[in-house]
Amino acid sequence: MSGGRIAAAFGRLRERGEKGLIPFVTAGYPNLEATRSLVLAMAESGADLIELGVPFSDPLADGPVIQRASQAALGAGTSLAGILALVRELRRETDVPLVLMSYFNPIFSFGPGPLMSAAALAGADGLIIPDLPLEEAGPVLERADECGLDLIPLVAPTSTPRRIAAIAGQARGFVYCVSVTGVTGTQAGYSEKLVGVCRTVREHTGLPIAVGFGIARDAQVRALAPHVDALIVGSAIVDLIDGADENGSVKRVCSLVLELKQALQKI
């Protein structure tokens, strides 16, 4: 595991007694230069870590908002090589931890070993692969450890205690708890079962817990924050980029990041 920027970010949050905010954007939507502007602006607005989604033609865990963004990014010619170049550029401008979220197919096409080496050299800090089964993660985890990348696993509301224990045992960086059974998107409220899942994760790892899928409003943030270490916001942010020019999307996204971060600071 890297023990680098991700661990340092959660360490700072613990020292301040704060919960973290992890916004997600689809890299290359509407283009990579816009993504660069959004990442830098979100970091300035209080984002503690940032997820860069790698667009993919069959994003099975994503809802309609991120699906549309992925298609648009692919249509604009966004490639994994281009995203890595963006990470290199961003790393010269900000120290905010950057986590790539990608389905396994683009990684397989690039080559898992070369991809992780290139991602680490570019300055990425972690990798989330939602369709990588625990049983097949061993070689990827080994290479990620060699490269100093945190391979961050997902826990679903349907995960059994035994499986949660196994996932937590392989976790690096933090554990990503999915708040709903379904795809990403904005939903109201959350299941009480999620709290039990988070409690079970805590029993098996000292790593931070972040919850994502459906987080969109400050009321949700305040309700969930006591149970976790960070909240991940994706579709609500990508939705704000729709139909806005670059300046408009930066303004809208930063306004939401500030609002949610302030909500977290009041807990």
Side-chain angles (χ1 to χ4, degrees):
M1 68 189 81
S2 72
R5 279 180 285 263
I6 292 177
F10 279 107
R12 287 192 295 273
L13 287 166
R14 279 195 298 273
E15 288 173 3
R16 299 197 299 259
E18 288 181 17
K19 308 294 183 175
L21 179 65
I22 307 177
F24 166 103
V25 291
T26 300
Y29 178 63
N31 54 63
L32 287 173
E33 180 55 32
T35 303
R36 173 186 164 276
S37 298
L38 285 163
V39 168
L40 295 175
M42 290 191 296
E44 287 293 319
S45 299
D48 297 291
L49 293 85
I50 293 175
E51 271 189 51
L52 287 174
V54 176
F56 179 49
S57 58
D58 186 22
L60 56 89
D62 292 317
V65 171
I66 295 178
Q67 286 181 21
R68 283 197 302 272
S70 290
Q71 288 297 328
L74 290 171
T78 303
S79 66
L80 194 42
I83 294 169
L84 294 174
L86 171 65
V87 172
R88 282 196 296 275
E89 186 176 350
L90 285 167
R91 192 46 75 214
R92 290 194 290 269
E93 301 178 90
T94 179
D95 285 329
V96 71
L98 298 171
V99 176
L100 298 178
M101 183 170 185
S102 174
Y103 294 91
F104 192 69
N105 191 289
I107 295 172
F108 180 78
S109 297
F110 195 102
L115 180 277
M116 284 183 276
S117 298
L121 283 172
D125 301 288
L127 193 59
I128 298 170
I129 311 175
D131 58 347
L132 178 64
L134 172 70
E135 293 77 8
E136 299 176 24
V140 179
L141 177 60
E142 183 178 348
R143 184 60 182 148
D145 281 348
E146 290 171 357
C147 294
L149 284 174
D150 287 333
L151 184 63
I152 298 151
L154 287 89
V155 169
T158 53
S159 298
T160 64
R162 183 174 182 179
R163 189 164 185 83
I164 290 173
I167 293 171
Q170 286 194 359
R172 305 287 191 269
F174 61 91
V175 177
Y176 188 139
C177 289
V178 175
S179 65
V180 295
T181 303
V183 299
T184 60
T186 59
Q187 287 107 19
Y190 63 94
S191 165
E192 281 298 319
K193 188 175 181 181
L194 174 64
V195 176
V197 168
C198 292
R199 192 177 301 122
T200 304
V201 173
R202 289 229 189 272
E203 292 172 359
H204 295 287
T205 180
L207 288 175
I209 297 172
V211 166
F213 281 43
I215 311 302
R217 291 175 287 277
D218 59 358
Q220 288 173 294
V221 163
R222 286 195 297 271
L224 278 168
H227 309 289
V228 301
D229 300 289
L231 279 300
I232 300 167
V233 182
S235 293
I237 284 178
V238 175
D239 195 35
L240 293 173
I241 302 170
D242 276 341
D245 60 20
E246 184 171 329
N247 289 334
S249 63
V250 167
K251 187 175 180 180
R252 290 178 181 180
V253 168
C254 287
S255 177
L256 179 60
V257 169
L258 280 168
E259 176 189 348
L260 296 179
K261 186 62 186 177
Q262 287 171 357
L264 286 169
Q265 289 171 330
K266 293 175 182 174
I267 294 169

